[in-house]
Amino acid sequence: MFGVYVTMAREFHVAVAGATGAVGTQMVQCLEERNFPVKTLRPLASERSLGKSVTYRGQEIPVQVMDEKSFEGIDIALFSAGGGISLKYGPIAAAAGAVVVDNSSAFRMEPDIPLVVPEVNPQDIALYKNRGIIANPNCSTIQMVVVLKPIHDAARIKRVVVSTYQAVSGTGQKAVTELADQVRALLSGADPKISVYPYRIAFNVFPHIDVFLENGYTKEEMKMVLETKKIMGDDTIRVSATTARVPVFYGHSEAVNIETEKKITPEEVRALLAQAPGVKVVDDPANRLYPMPLDAAGQDLTLVGRIREDASIANGIDLWIVADNIRKGAATNAVQIAEILAAQYL
Ligand code: NAP
Ligand code: 3JN
């Protein structure tokens, strides 16, 4: 008679380019934690990583040195090895048949490449077909737009003014080590060594992330301006950003002021955000409850609090937004994109 057919869920050959870095290490961990349907995992890095391995599901997988042939047989390639590597190897991976999810800024503003935050514009993932590449936004943009989107849908945001307080892990593993070394040196009366940043980061703050541009903003600030408009699909939103580096290891914080077209109260914003995917409202100042990097680090929700009316304008709201920059700001967002690709498109 009839045989019994069991539908096997498809599994994917996945490459992680930059697998030994701060973001790449977290990508491998996210694939495991989220039980992504990985058939084989290919960790890729530079010659410096020859002999190293990554741990995935209890197995030690040797890191391979990335070259033109690294993407043969790969279905999904998660890139976090810097913009130059993405520009060179992203198209090679796509030509080999992989769909690339790229964490760098290399392709973010290309009109035919989707720039995706799954809670905001998952529909844009379909545009991967244009060039086989999907861009993952900047960490500071990601955590801001997951909160802004429901407010924009309800009251139309006209203007955003944001100041960031960004953790050193955003600069990579060497900056995490530098902050720890500087703190240790200073507390033991030694001279702190400065190599990653222009100034000492321990017990300091500087308003300088990425390079300065001719318009007086930094590139990091302009990423927030331009990426926000593209992800939200609305070029009319005006955005001004100041981005600062603070001596925190993990978790970016943001003070965000918005002006809306329609009046919206803090209570309405709180109710909207309580339902928003990927967002957790932590807003009980009377009990000293507000988002902090120490609470955001190591988990995937974007925390929002200090929600209040801006009394200086007619329709203004102030918010304080914190997320783990390496997880939701980079690795988790990329793996979430890959999950949608795997479930709906491949
Ligand atoms: P990281 O800790 O310095 O790691 C860099 C990774 O890239 C390492 O695995 C490194 O391998 C690899 N790599 C460097 N040069 C390479 C080469 N020539 N060939 C192959 N692999 C190479 O940096 P990270 O913090 O993880 O950041 C990596 C990139 O991710 C950044 O440059 C940025 O584009 C992106 N990023 C995005 C966000 C975001 O906001 N979404 C946040 C942070 C970073 P070795 O160990 O062998 O050198
Ligand atoms: O500094 C941070 O907190 C985030 C840094 C992100 C970053 C670091 C180096 C290169 C990026 C990025 O994702 O925008 C890039 C890049 O331009 O690819």
Side-chain angles (χ1 to χ4, degrees), residues 18 20-23 45-46 48-49 66 80-82 85 103-104 137 139 172-173 329:
T20 53
V23 176
S46 78
R48 289 179 289 273
S49 295
M66 199 184 322
S80 69
I85 298 293
N103 244 287
S104 81
C139 41
Q173 201 49 55

Side-chain angles (χ1 to χ4, degrees), residues 26-59:
Q26 186 61 55
M27 281 172 162
V28 172
Q29 200 177 314
C30 278
L31 289 167
E32 176 169 342
E33 275 176 21
R34 298 176 71 93
N35 212 13
F36 189 86
V38 174
K39 192 165 179 68
T40 59
L41 182 70
R42 191 176 299 169
L44 303 168
S46 78
E47 277 170 5
R48 289 179 289 273
S49 295
L50 256 185
K52 287 190 189 164
S53 56
V54 304
T55 309
Y56 175 73
R57 294 195 169 158
Q59 273 183 286

Side-chain angles (χ1 to χ4, degrees), residues 119-199:
E119 292 85 347
V120 179
N121 60 337
Q123 71 286 353
D124 288 351
I125 290 175
L127 300 173
Y128 84 89
K129 288 186 176 135
N130 291 342
R131 289 171 60 185
I133 300 174
I134 300 170
N136 197 73
N138 178 268
C139 41
S140 299
T141 312
I142 292 175
Q143 67 181 69
M144 186 168 78
V145 296
V146 295
V147 172
L148 294 190
K149 172 72 168 146
I151 306 174
H152 189 53
D153 289 346
R156 206 182 87 75
I157 294 173
K158 287 162 58 179
R159 180 166 184 251
V160 181
V161 180
V162 52
S163 298
T164 71
Y165 307 71
Q166 297 185 210
V168 295
S169 51
T171 312
Q173 201 49 55
K174 57 196 178 313
V176 173
T177 307
E178 178 150 312
L179 173 58
D181 288 349
Q182 288 180 354
V183 170
R184 250 192 307 271
L186 285 161
L187 294 184
S188 56
D191 264 350
K193 289 203 176 55
I194 297 168
S195 68
V196 175
Y197 295 120
Y199 301 101

Side-chain angles (χ1 to χ4, degrees), residues 79-91 102-107:
F79 270 68
S80 69
I85 298 293
S86 296
L87 281 172
K88 179 172 177 193
Y89 287 103
D102 180 40
N103 244 287
S104 81
S105 59
F107 301 106

